[in-house]
Amino acid sequence: MITNKKPRSSDTDSNYMRDDRTEMSEDDDRSPPSDSIANGSCPTRTCTPGSGSGSGSGSSSIPEYSAPYPDRVLENVLENVLWFLTSRKDRNAASLVCRSWYRVEAMTRSDLFIGNCYAVSPERATSRFTRVRSVTLKGKPRFADFNLMPPNWGAHFAPWVSATAKAYPWLEKIHLKRMSVTDDDLALLAESFSGFKELVLVCCDGFGTSGLAAVASKCRQLKVLDLIESEVSDDEVDWIMCFPDTETCLESLIFDCVECLVDFDALERLVVRSPSLKKLRLNRFVSIGQLYRLMVRAPQLTHLGTGSFSPSEDVAQGELELDYVSAFAACKSLVCLSGFREIVPDCLPAIYPICANLTSLNFSYANISAEQLKPIISNCHKLQTFWVLDSICDEGLQAVATTCKELRELRVFPFDPREDIEGPVSEVGLQAISEGCRKLQSILYFCQRMTNAAVIAMSKNCPDLVVFRLCIMGRQRPDHVTGEPMDEGFGAIVMNCKKLTRLAVSGLLTDTAFAYIGKYGKIVRTLSVAFAGDSDMGLKYVLEGCPRLQKLEIRDSPFGDTALLSGLHHYYNMRFLWMSACRLSHQGCQQIAQALPHLVVEVIKHEDTVHTDDYADTLYMYRSLAGRRHDVPKFVSIL
C-alpha cells in the first residue's frame, strides 16, 4: 500500500476527501508551484549562448514590441511599469483599466496561466498574448482524483501544444496539472521549442517513457523535469539514458511517481554531469544503497526524495555496511526531505544529522510509529511543512506540537481509509497542534472522530489559517463526545480565521454550518463539501453569502434544483461548480443552461451507477470564452 503512487485509496465509495500529494496551489495567486526553483536560489548556468534571453534574431526570438499608438512616450512608460507586475490578479485588474492598458498588458505578459483548459481556446489565448515564455494549464477538476470522473473525459494537451508551438517557438516553461498528455505531444514539445527549460507534469496521464525520452534527448537546455503524481506507462524505453552525454543544465529532476525501473548507472552518470542539480526525487526502485551513491556524488542537493529507503532485494553485504549517517551529514544544504516509499525503520537514524536544517519533511508514504518519529521530530525546530501518515497517532502529533513552533503547513493522511475502524488520530492530536503550532496557515487532517471543542480551539489558537480541510471519515459523524453536529466547530473556523480562502467540511453538518459559512466566509474561494447538509437552504446560504467563491465541489449531499438555481447571479464569476450524487434533475440543469448561455453545463453519466430519469449523475459547470468544446465523449451531454 505504501508503494502506491496515488494517495491512500481510489475506491469511489470512500467518503473521505483524499488529497493528492501535489504542490501546485489550487488557490493562491503565485505563478509558479511552491516546489519550483526560486529565482536566485542557486547560481544560474548558461549552457548555450543565446538560450532564449529574448535578444537576437531567428525564429526562436521574441518579437520586439512597438507601441502603435500616437503617444509613444506614455505607452513606453506604461510598458515599463507593467513589467513589474507579477501577480496574475494585479495584471488582470490592469488589463481592465482601458483599451490601451488591455493591449499593453497583453504584450508584456510573459507568464500565461489558464485555470481551466476549456475556459478559452488555444488560438484565442495565443493571439492575445504574443510574448509568452511560460504556460501553466489545468485540466480536469480536483474530484477527478477520487475516480469521480470517467476515464477519457478530456483535458487534452494536444491542441495547446500545437498552438503554442506555432505561436511561441521561444517558449521555455510548461506546467500542466490533470491534463491528458500523449507521447506525441511530448515529442512535438521537444521538437518545437529550441530553448525549452522546464516541464512540470502534475497528476497527468496518457504518456509513457518514450515521451520522456524525447524530452530528455532533444531539450538540451532542460533545467527542470518534474513528474508529480502522474501516471507514466512503461514503454520499455530507458528515458534516463537519453539525456545528453555532455554536462547538463538540470536543476530539478523528480520522478518518484514513475512505476518502472531506470538504469541506475545511467542515473548516476546523469547526476555527476549535472553540477547544478538541487532537487532530486527518486522512485521506489532506487534502494538505499543506490541512494548513498547518489548523495556522495551530489552533496549540493537541497531537496531529496529518498526512493524506497530500504535495501535492494538482492542486497549485498557492502550495502549494509555503508555509512549512511555520514552521507546525510555531508549534505549540508539539504532542507527538504521526502520519499520513504518502502521504508525500513531501522534505517531512519541515518537522517538524524540533517533534521536541524529541515524546513520540509514528507512522511506521507512512511508507515512509522510515534516512537520512531520522536527522535527525528525532536530536532526539527525549523520545520515549516510536514506531511505524515496517521500511523504516528495522537502521540506523534503531540511530539510535533512540542518541537515545531515554526510549522506553517500540516497534512495528516490515513494509512487505512476504511470507515469502520477506530482510527489512530483524533481531536487530541488536532488540539495539541493548535496549542503548539500557532503559526499554522494550512492544515489537511484525516480522522475518524472529532469534537467541536477541538476545532473551536484551533480557530482561536491559529487565527492565521488560510486553508482548513478537516476530513472526518465515515458518513455524517457527529461530535463523538456530545453527539451534536459539527456546526459550531466549522462556524468558529470561518468566524475567527479572517484569512481563510480554502475550506473542506465533513462530518454531521446541518444547514446551520452553511449559514455560518455564508455569513462569515467572505473571502473563501474554494469550498469542498462531502456527505453534508440538510436541505437546499444550506447551499443557498453559501451561494448568496460568499462573493469571492471561485471553486465549489460537492458530492453525495442533499442539494437539488432550488439550491442550484439560487446561484444564478454568481456562476459567471466562478471558475467551476461540481456536483455529483446530489439531487439535481435534468430539468434543473437545463434551466441553468438556458439562463446562462455563456456557461458550459456538462452532465456526466457514469457506467457504474443505475441510471434513472430522476437525477443527473454529475453536473460540471464552468465559464468559458470558447463555448462548447469539440472533444465531447459519449457519456457527456452539454446542455
Side-chain angles (χ1 to χ4, degrees):
M1 193 281 287
I2 292 298
T3 63
N4 186 356
K5 64 183 165 63
K6 287 290 182 181
R8 297 308 116 203
S9 172
S10 60
D11 184 356
T12 56
D13 295 328
S14 294
N15 71 321
Y16 71 91
M17 302 193 66
R18 160 180 77 70
D19 184 75
D20 54 8
R21 290 167 174 73
T22 61
E23 298 166 18
M24 183 181 288
S25 171
E26 292 283 355
D27 293 292
D28 64 21
D29 192 46
R30 296 168 292 179
S31 293
S34 61
D35 196 42
S36 62
I37 297 175
N39 290 333
S41 61
C42 56
T44 301
R45 302 180 67 252
T46 303
C47 297
T48 305
S51 58
S53 65
S55 61
S57 59
S59 61
S60 62
S61 297
I62 299 179
E64 291 297 326
Y65 168 56
S66 177
Y69 316 112
D71 195 340
R72 290 288 300 275
V73 174
L74 287 179
E75 294 299 335
N76 288 336
V77 170
L78 177 58
E79 179 186 3
N80 289 329
V81 170
L82 290 181
W83 278 116
F84 290 95
L85 288 185
T86 57
S87 162
R88 295 196 303 271
K89 182 179 179 180
D90 291 343
R91 278 193 160 272
N92 290 342
S95 70
L96 297 177
V97 172
C98 64
R99 190 178 297 274
S100 294
W101 282 58
Y102 175 88
R103 284 191 288 244
V104 176
E105 190 283 318
M107 293 297 294
T108 57
R109 186 176 294 214
S110 60
D111 299 322
L112 178 61
F113 175 90
I114 307 292
N116 176 357
C117 64
Y118 290 121
V120 64
S121 69
E123 293 74 21
R124 180 168 183 157
T126 54
S127 64
R128 176 182 172 188
F129 302 104
T130 57
R131 306 179 76 194
V132 167
R133 287 181 175 275
S134 171
V135 173
T136 298
L137 275 174
K138 293 185 179 182
K140 304 165 193 171
R142 194 181 67 93
F143 270 19
D145 293 345
F146 312 137
N147 283 353
L148 294 179
M149 178 171 279
N152 303 314
W153 171 80
H156 301 293
F157 181 47
W160 284 94
V161 70
S162 178
T164 53
K166 297 174 183 176
Y168 312 135
W170 53 79
L171 194 71
E172 296 178 353
K173 302 178 183 180
I174 291 180
H175 292 202
L176 305 179
K177 188 169 188 179
R178 298 191 187 96
M179 297 286 290
S180 292
V181 183
T182 67
D183 289 333
D184 289 340
D185 296 338
L186 295 180
L188 180 58
L189 179 154
E191 294 169 358
S192 302
F193 308 122
S194 59
F196 194 74
K197 297 176 182 177
E198 187 168 318
L199 178 63
V200 178
L201 303 178
V202 181
C203 297
C204 294
D205 57 25
F207 65 98
T209 52
S210 58
L212 297 179
V215 173
S217 62
K218 296 181 181 179
C219 299
R220 313 287 286 192
Q221 299 178 43
L222 194 66
K223 292 184 177 181
V224 177
L225 179 57
D226 291 352
L227 311 172
I228 303 171
E229 295 297 335
S230 292
E231 296 180 9
V232 183
S233 62
D234 185 1
D235 302 331
E236 297 184 352
V237 176
D238 201 316
W239 57 283
I240 290 291
M241 297 184 66
C242 296
F243 280 93
D245 292 331
T246 55
E247 185 174 294
T248 78
C249 303
L250 272 180
E251 298 174 0
S252 177
L253 178 61
I254 296 176
F255 64 98
D256 49 0
C257 64
V258 179
E259 288 292 305
C260 57
L261 286 165
V262 297
D263 186 307
F264 178 75
D265 290 335
L267 175 62
E268 186 175 25
R269 292 193 298 270
L270 176 62
V271 169
V272 172
R273 299 197 310 276
S274 306
S276 294
L277 190 66
K278 299 294 184 181
K279 299 184 180 184
L280 178 64
R281 280 164 49 180
L282 309 165
N283 68 4
R284 67 183 182 91
F285 296 97
V286 178
S287 70
I288 190 170
Q290 293 170 326
L291 172 67
Y292 172 86
R293 289 168 56 181
L294 295 176
M295 293 176 66
V296 170
R297 297 286 197 174
Q300 78 278 6
L301 290 174
T302 60
H303 295 60
L304 177 65
T306 65
S308 68
F309 211 68
S310 62
S312 57
E313 293 182 1
D314 54 344
V315 59
Q317 183 64 30
E319 188 168 303
L320 295 174
E321 297 175 352
L322 294 174
D323 188 354
Y324 299 111
V325 173
S326 296
F328 275 98
C331 294
K332 299 185 182 301
S333 300
L334 207 56
V335 296
C336 180
L337 193 60
S338 62
F340 309 100
R341 295 276 169 150
E342 297 174 350
I343 187 171
V344 172
D346 290 343
C347 297
L348 279 174
I351 71 172
Y352 290 174
I354 61 166
C355 290
N357 290 329
L358 290 179
T359 59
S360 177
L361 179 60
N362 186 343
F363 275 153
S364 64
Y365 287 95
N367 181 18
I368 60 174
S369 66
E371 291 304 316
Q372 292 162 343
L373 175 69
K374 285 180 181 179
I376 296 172
I377 211 68
S378 62
N379 291 305
C380 295
H381 296 282
K382 296 181 181 179
L383 203 64
Q384 296 185 21
T385 300
F386 186 45
W387 296 10
V388 70
L389 287 177
D390 62 8
S391 58
I392 66 168
C393 303
D394 288 329
E395 184 182 354
L397 292 174
Q398 290 170 329
V400 173
T402 299
T403 303
C404 305
K405 303 303 181 182
E406 299 299 318
L407 197 66
R408 302 299 198 275
E409 178 184 351
L410 173 67
R411 299 192 188 188
V412 181
F413 296 95
F415 179 81
D416 186 344
R418 291 178 299 171
E419 300 177 14
D420 56 349
I421 62 172
E422 176 104 0
V425 298
S426 66
E427 77 281 357
V428 175
L430 187 75
Q431 178 123 8
I433 290 294
S434 74
E435 293 173 355
C437 307
R438 304 211 170 203
K439 296 181 181 180
L440 199 67
Q441 297 175 358
S442 175
I443 185 168
L444 169 65
Y445 196 85
F446 286 91
C447 62
Q448 295 283 0
R449 59 194 188 279
M450 185 51 60
T451 63
N452 281 302
V455 179
I456 292 170
M458 172 150 281
S459 75
K460 294 178 179 178
N461 293 331
C462 304
D464 291 333
L465 277 174
V466 176
V467 176
F468 183 79
R469 291 185 288 171
L470 175 60
C471 304
I472 305 172
M473 296 180 288
R475 304 190 180 201
Q476 299 182 333
R477 291 195 173 180
D479 180 315
H480 83 96
V481 172
T482 67
E484 295 293 319
M486 292 295 299
D487 297 341
E488 297 304 317
F490 285 104
I493 289 292
V494 291
M495 276 189 275
N496 297 327
C497 302
K498 306 298 185 183
K499 301 176 183 179
L500 194 73
T501 62
R502 184 173 184 180
L503 176 65
V505 300
S506 55
L508 178 62
L509 297 176
T510 69
D511 290 340
T512 301
F514 295 96
Y516 284 135
I517 295 171
K519 184 176 181 179
Y520 298 103
K522 297 305 180 183
I523 64 170
V524 170
R525 297 182 60 201
T526 301
L527 176 63
S528 303
V529 181
F531 305 93
D534 276 342
S535 68
D536 286 342
M537 282 303 299
L539 183 54
K540 187 176 180 180
Y541 287 137
V542 170
L543 290 171
E544 293 181 352
C546 300
R548 298 193 185 181
L549 193 63
Q550 287 285 299
K551 291 173 276 189
L552 177 57
E553 43 195 28
I554 305 171
R555 61 170 297 187
D556 298 272
S557 298
F559 304 132
D561 294 348
T562 301
L564 181 66
L565 293 170
S566 68
L568 282 172
H569 67 288
H570 187 57
Y571 291 141
Y572 275 145
N573 296 323
M574 292 176 61
R575 188 184 296 179
F576 72 79
L577 167 67
W578 171 284
M579 297 180 69
S580 60
C582 294
R583 297 177 182 174
L584 301 178
S585 70
H586 291 277
Q587 182 179 1
C589 297
Q590 188 67 54
Q591 284 182 267
I592 290 288
Q594 292 172 347
L596 303 172
H598 299 294
L599 206 66
V600 177
V601 181
E602 295 194 8
V603 175
I604 304 171
K605 295 180 180 180
H606 297 265
E607 293 181 356
D608 56 351
T609 58
V610 178
H611 299 297
T612 67
D613 294 331
D614 296 336
Y615 298 128
D617 288 350
T618 296
L619 171 70
Y620 179 45
M621 195 162 64
Y622 53 91
R623 63 190 183 197
S624 176
L625 297 173
R628 176 191 174 100
R629 61 188 175 107
H630 302 296
D631 58 352
V632 184
K634 293 181 179 180
F635 54 81
V636 172
S637 299
I638 296 186
L639 306 182

